[in-house]
Amino acid sequence: MTLPEIGKLIRATRRSLNLTQQALAKRAGVSRYTILKLETGQASDIQFKTLTAVLQALRLTVEVVGNPVSGVTVLGSDK
């Protein structure tokens, strides 16, 4: 999922919960401008912790999926 797609999901979820951008920003501990940038796909410099705070405020989750790079040991992995 791309950042603009995530932004559309954030906007749709926020609206379904009848939240304003300001109310979501307050819940997530970020600025309304950050919410605006996310929803419009203009948040190319967003920090992961900021994105996860917004998603958590909406009760959404993020999952990072991938394959370990060859030669790198991933703790807790049997691979």
Side-chain angles (χ1 to χ4, degrees):
M1 187 173 244
T2 66
L3 199 51
E5 291 170 331
I6 293 169
K8 288 179 184 179
L9 175 63
I10 289 170
R11 178 179 223 160
T13 304
R14 175 182 62 78
R15 286 181 169 177
S16 74
L17 296 172
N18 294 314
L19 292 172
T20 64
Q21 288 180 340
Q22 186 63 43
L24 175 55
K26 186 174 181 178
R27 274 190 186 189
V30 301
S31 71
R32 188 195 66 80
Y33 183 66
T34 297
I35 301 300
L36 174 68
K37 286 186 357 179
L38 275 169
E39 289 186 354
T40 58
Q42 299 173 9
S44 60
D45 60 344
I46 192 86
Q47 292 184 8
F48 186 75
K49 68 179 182 176
T50 302
L51 177 59
T52 56
V54 172
L55 294 174
Q56 288 174 348
L58 292 170
R59 296 181 186 232
L60 298 173
T61 59
V62 63
E63 181 178 333
V64 179
V65 180
N67 295 319
V69 177
S70 177
V72 175
T73 301
V74 179
L75 297 177
S77 174
D78 294 330
K79 297 177 183 177

